[in-house]
């Protein structure tokens, strides 16, 4: 309802029921060109990496692979708190917030407010992106292998 142009891409993975519900709901949207919704099912890892590199802000639960990919892509992270799996994902969420890479939201209205706030502050998003890249270790596997081979 902000009137600002937004493109949201929702990647449902293998959740066909969610994808179907979103496709049906998207047909009722009234603001083409202002709010464009792209709905995808399962995507390959390279395609997911491309989406993360292209986005201004990721809204997701902070699973291990998602968090790692977001760091490598320099992608600011809005943690959808109610969907987290207790344990590791809670720790990932705490890390993202404490490192200045992400924020936590608990409700759809909090998410909408945070999205509007962050997307209207490009300097804040840029800082969050820099923080993500600071903590990313894209060459970590090669470094580990080199160290092991050197032992």
């Amino acid at each position: 309802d902000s009137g600002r142009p937004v493109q949201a891409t929702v990647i449902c993975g293998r959740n066909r029921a969610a994808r179907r519900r979103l496709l049906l709901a998207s047909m009722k949207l009234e603001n083409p060109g202002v709010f464009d919704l792209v709905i995808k099912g399962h995507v390959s890892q390279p395609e997911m990496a491309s989406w993360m590199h292209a986005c201004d802000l990721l809204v997701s639960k902070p699973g291990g692979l998602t968090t790692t990919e977001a760091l490598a892509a320099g992608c600011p992270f809005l943690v959808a708190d109610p969907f987290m799996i207790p344990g590791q994902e809670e720790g990932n969420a705490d890390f993202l917030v404490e490192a200045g890479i992400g924020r936590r939201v608990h409700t759809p209205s909090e998410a909408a407010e945070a999205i509007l706030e962050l997307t209207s502050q490009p300097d804040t998003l840029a800082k969050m992106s820099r923080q993500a890249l600071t903590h990313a270790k894209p060459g970590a596997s090669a470094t580990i292998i080199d160290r092991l081979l050197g032992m």
Side-chain angles (χ1 to χ4, degrees), residues 4-11 22 26 29 34-40 51 55-57 59 115:
R4 291 190 1 226
V6 173
Q7 178 182 348
T9 302
V10 180
I11 300 175
L22 285 167
S26 71
L29 292 175
V34 175
F35 184 76
D36 290 321
L37 184 60
V38 176
I39 302 164
K40 310 227 18 117
W51 280 111
C55 78
D56 296 315
L57 180 64
V59 181
I115 291 166

Side-chain angles (χ1 to χ4, degrees), residues 19-129:
R19 185 167 186 245
R20 226 178 349 265
R21 281 193 314 272
L22 285 167
L23 286 168
L24 288 171
S26 71
M27 291 180 205
K28 299 174 186 173
L29 292 175
E30 295 183 10
N31 291 324
V34 175
F35 184 76
D36 290 321
L37 184 60
V38 176
I39 302 164
K40 310 227 18 117
H42 181 263
V43 298
S44 68
Q45 190 279 330
E47 186 178 355
M48 179 61 85
S50 293
W51 280 111
M52 284 197 187
H53 280 278
C55 78
D56 296 315
L57 180 64
L58 174 67
V59 181
S60 183
K61 67 185 196 74
L65 290 175
T66 302
T67 300
T68 302
E69 192 72 53
L71 293 175
C75 188
F77 207 120
L78 194 59
V79 176
D81 195 273
F83 300 106
M84 285 193 305
I85 297 171
Q88 177 199 356
E89 291 185 0
E90 291 172 324
N92 291 348
D94 292 342
F95 162 75
L96 290 165
V97 172
E98 290 166 13
I101 299 162
R103 293 196 184 165
R104 279 172 109 150
V105 294
H106 301 86
T107 65
S109 60
E110 279 184 33
E113 288 175 25
I115 291 166
L116 286 173
E117 176 191 339
L118 290 169
T119 57
S120 67
Q121 299 175 358
D123 291 344
T124 301
L125 283 176
K127 183 178 179 184
M128 293 169 79
S129 179

